[in-house]
Amino acid sequence: MDFTITRQIAIDAGHRIASHGSKCRHLHGHRYVIEASCRPVSGELRAAGEQAGMVLDFGFLKDEMMALIDAPCDHGLIADIADRALLDLFTPEGRKGDDWHAALAATVAAGGFATTTDGRLGQKLYVVPFPPTAEGLARHWFHRLAPAVARRSDGLAALTRVTVHETPNCRADYAPL
Protein backbone atom coordinates (compact mmCIF):
# COMPACT_ATOMS: atom_id res chain seq x y z
CA MET A 1 0.00 0.00 0.00
CA ASP A 2 1.11 3.53 -0.68
CA PHE A 3 -0.69 6.44 0.93
CA THR A 4 -0.04 10.15 0.51
CA ILE A 5 -1.97 13.02 2.02
CA THR A 6 -1.78 16.63 0.90
CA ARG A 7 -2.92 19.79 2.67
CA GLN A 8 -3.14 23.19 1.02
CA ILE A 9 -3.04 26.73 2.38
CA ALA A 10 -2.87 30.09 0.61
CA ILE A 11 -1.10 33.31 1.52
CA ASP A 12 -0.75 36.74 -0.02
CA ALA A 13 2.80 38.08 0.00
CA GLY A 14 5.09 40.38 -1.92
CA HIS A 15 8.60 39.76 -3.15
CA ARG A 16 11.04 40.63 -5.88
CA ILE A 17 13.89 38.82 -7.57
CA ALA A 18 16.50 41.60 -7.70
CA SER A 19 18.76 39.80 -10.18
CA HIS A 20 15.97 38.92 -12.62
CA GLY A 21 16.41 40.37 -16.09
CA SER A 22 12.73 41.04 -16.64
CA LYS A 23 9.63 42.18 -14.77
CA CYS A 24 10.16 39.97 -11.69
CA ARG A 25 12.90 42.35 -10.53
CA HIS A 26 10.11 44.77 -9.61
CA LEU A 27 8.38 44.56 -6.25
CA HIS A 28 5.11 42.65 -6.75
CA GLY A 29 2.79 40.25 -4.98
CA HIS A 30 1.30 36.80 -5.40
CA ARG A 31 -1.51 34.70 -4.05
CA TYR A 32 0.75 31.79 -3.15
CA VAL A 33 -0.86 28.39 -2.76
CA ILE A 34 1.30 26.01 -0.76
CA GLU A 35 0.76 22.25 -0.63
CA ALA A 36 2.47 19.86 1.77
CA SER A 37 2.35 16.11 1.12
CA CYS A 38 3.11 13.38 3.65
CA ARG A 39 3.34 9.60 3.67
CA PRO A 40 3.58 7.00 6.41
CA VAL A 41 7.17 6.05 7.17
CA SER A 42 6.27 2.34 7.30
CA GLY A 43 3.94 2.48 4.31
CA GLU A 44 1.02 1.61 6.59
CA LEU A 45 -1.61 3.79 8.19
CA ARG A 46 -1.49 4.35 11.91
CA ALA A 47 -3.07 1.35 13.64
CA ALA A 48 -4.38 2.91 16.86
CA GLY A 49 -4.91 6.08 18.81
CA GLU A 50 -6.26 9.48 17.86
CA GLN A 51 -4.88 9.24 14.32
CA ALA A 52 -5.89 5.59 13.66
CA GLY A 53 -6.38 4.97 9.96
CA MET A 54 -4.48 8.15 9.02
CA VAL A 55 -1.09 9.14 7.68
CA LEU A 56 -1.34 12.34 9.72
CA ASP A 57 -4.37 14.28 10.85
CA PHE A 58 -5.09 16.99 8.24
CA GLY A 59 -5.78 19.40 11.10
CA PHE A 60 -2.32 18.80 12.56
CA LEU A 61 -0.70 19.45 9.18
CA LYS A 62 -2.77 22.62 8.73
CA ASP A 63 -1.78 23.85 12.22
CA GLU A 64 1.90 23.49 11.38
CA MET A 65 1.56 25.12 7.95
CA MET A 66 -0.33 28.04 9.47
CA ALA A 67 2.27 28.50 12.22
CA LEU A 68 5.37 28.12 10.04
CA ILE A 69 4.22 29.68 6.75
CA ASP A 70 0.99 31.67 7.12
CA ALA A 71 1.68 33.47 10.39
CA PRO A 72 5.11 34.86 9.44
CA CYS A 73 4.49 35.41 5.71
CA ASP A 74 0.84 36.18 4.94
CA HIS A 75 0.33 39.84 4.01
CA GLY A 76 4.05 40.40 4.34
CA LEU A 77 7.10 40.89 2.19
CA ILE A 78 9.49 37.99 1.55
CA ALA A 79 12.97 39.39 0.97
CA ASP A 80 16.46 38.10 0.24
CA ILE A 81 18.96 39.29 2.86
CA ALA A 82 21.27 40.13 -0.08
CA ASP A 83 18.67 42.57 -1.51
CA ARG A 84 20.09 45.48 0.41
CA ALA A 85 18.34 48.12 -1.73
CA LEU A 86 14.94 46.67 -0.84
CA LEU A 87 15.69 46.17 2.85
CA ASP A 88 17.10 49.69 3.15
CA LEU A 89 13.59 50.99 2.38
CA PHE A 90 12.47 49.54 5.71
CA THR A 91 15.33 50.64 7.98
CA PRO A 92 13.67 52.00 11.12
CA GLU A 93 13.71 55.75 11.65
CA GLY A 94 16.70 56.79 13.73
CA ARG A 95 18.67 53.59 13.15
CA LYS A 96 21.66 53.10 10.94
CA GLY A 97 20.90 50.86 7.98
CA ASP A 98 24.17 48.97 8.42
CA ASP A 99 23.36 48.09 12.05
CA TRP A 100 19.78 47.04 11.29
CA HIS A 101 20.84 45.00 8.27
CA ALA A 102 23.67 43.34 10.22
CA ALA A 103 21.25 42.28 12.96
CA LEU A 104 18.87 40.80 10.36
CA ALA A 105 21.77 39.07 8.60
CA ALA A 106 22.95 37.53 11.88
CA THR A 107 19.47 36.16 12.59
CA VAL A 108 19.19 34.76 9.05
CA ALA A 109 22.64 33.17 9.32
CA ALA A 110 21.80 31.57 12.66
CA GLY A 111 18.32 30.27 11.86
CA GLY A 112 17.87 30.27 8.10
CA PHE A 113 15.38 33.16 8.14
CA ALA A 114 14.32 36.23 10.12
CA THR A 115 10.96 37.80 10.81
CA THR A 116 10.43 41.36 11.89
CA THR A 117 7.90 44.16 11.99
CA ASP A 118 10.24 46.67 13.62
CA GLY A 119 11.16 48.35 10.34
CA ARG A 120 9.83 51.54 8.86
CA LEU A 121 6.05 51.38 8.33
CA GLY A 122 5.82 48.34 10.61
CA GLN A 123 6.06 46.21 7.47
CA LYS A 124 5.92 42.47 8.09
CA LEU A 125 9.20 41.12 6.70
CA TYR A 126 10.26 37.51 6.22
CA VAL A 127 13.94 37.56 5.31
CA VAL A 128 15.68 34.55 3.75
CA PRO A 129 19.24 33.79 2.55
CA PHE A 130 18.26 33.20 -1.09
CA PRO A 131 16.29 34.90 -3.87
CA PRO A 132 12.63 34.28 -2.91
CA THR A 133 11.68 32.28 -6.00
CA ALA A 134 8.96 29.63 -5.87
CA GLU A 135 11.71 26.99 -6.01
CA GLY A 136 13.64 28.49 -3.12
CA LEU A 137 10.51 28.93 -1.01
CA ALA A 138 9.41 25.32 -1.66
CA ARG A 139 12.77 24.02 -0.41
CA HIS A 140 12.85 26.43 2.54
CA TRP A 141 9.34 25.63 3.70
CA PHE A 142 9.98 21.90 3.25
CA HIS A 143 12.90 22.08 5.67
CA ARG A 144 10.86 24.11 8.16
CA LEU A 145 7.84 21.75 7.98
CA ALA A 146 9.60 18.36 7.97
CA PRO A 147 10.53 18.32 11.68
CA ALA A 148 7.02 19.48 12.64
CA VAL A 149 5.44 16.64 10.64
CA ALA A 150 7.71 14.11 12.32
CA ARG A 151 6.90 15.55 15.75
CA ARG A 152 3.12 15.74 15.20
CA SER A 153 3.03 12.14 13.90
CA ASP A 154 5.26 10.69 16.63
CA GLY A 155 7.75 9.87 13.86
CA LEU A 156 5.25 7.77 11.90
CA ALA A 157 4.80 10.20 8.96
CA ALA A 158 7.28 12.01 6.77
CA LEU A 159 6.92 15.12 4.67
CA THR A 160 7.62 14.11 1.08
CA ARG A 161 6.94 17.21 -0.99
CA VAL A 162 6.17 20.90 -0.78
CA THR A 163 4.63 22.59 -3.79
CA VAL A 164 4.45 26.37 -4.16
CA HIS A 165 2.04 27.75 -6.73
CA GLU A 166 3.15 31.28 -7.49
CA THR A 167 0.30 31.78 -9.96
CA PRO A 168 -2.50 29.45 -11.10
CA ASN A 169 -0.27 28.41 -14.02
CA CYS A 170 3.17 28.26 -12.38
CA ARG A 171 4.40 26.08 -9.57
CA ALA A 172 7.57 24.64 -8.09
CA ASP A 173 7.86 21.30 -6.30
CA TYR A 174 10.54 20.35 -3.80
CA ALA A 175 10.90 16.69 -2.89
CA PRO A 176 14.36 15.67 -1.67
CA LEU A 177 15.66 12.35 -2.91
Side-chain angles (χ1 to χ4, degrees), residues 28-60:
H28 62 284
H30 292 285
R31 175 71 171 169
Y32 290 100
V33 176
I34 302 102
E35 297 176 354
S37 298
C38 303
R39 65 167 178 75
V41 172
S42 70
E44 297 295 324
L45 300 178
R46 188 183 287 251
E50 179 182 19
Q51 297 181 69
M54 301 178 189
V55 172
L56 174 68
D57 185 292
F58 286 114
F60 291 176

Side-chain angles (χ1 to χ4, degrees), residues 39-176:
R39 65 167 178 75
V41 172
S42 70
E44 297 295 324
L45 300 178
R46 188 183 287 251
E50 179 182 19
Q51 297 181 69
M54 301 178 189
V55 172
L56 174 68
D57 185 292
F58 286 114
F60 291 176
L61 185 53
K62 177 186 176 188
D63 290 347
E64 297 303 333
M65 293 174 78
M66 295 301 284
L68 299 173
I69 299 170
D70 181 273
C73 299
D74 187 42
H75 284 77
L77 180 63
I78 303 171
D80 181 352
I81 191 64
D83 192 350
R84 184 64 188 259
L86 177 63
L87 291 171
D88 281 351
L89 296 172
F90 300 102
T91 300
E93 296 288 337
R95 288 197 57 192
K96 291 184 178 181
D98 288 343
D99 294 342
W100 187 68
H101 190 270
L104 277 177
T107 302
V108 169
F113 70 99
T115 60
T116 186
T117 57
D118 77 347
R120 187 175 299 141
L121 306 176
Q123 174 64 49
K124 186 182 205 181
L125 296 172
Y126 189 85
V127 185
V128 293
F130 55 86
T133 61
E135 296 90 338
L137 292 171
R139 180 181 56 211
H140 174 74
W141 288 329
F142 181 96
H143 290 296
R144 294 216 52 220
L145 279 171
V149 166
R151 184 183 75 254
R152 290 299 293 262
S153 70
D154 301 319
L156 298 176
L159 185 65
T160 57
R161 174 182 311 273
V162 169
T163 299
V164 175
H165 298 260
E166 196 172 79
T167 71
N169 301 319
C170 302
R171 77 175 203 213
D173 297 303
Y174 181 75

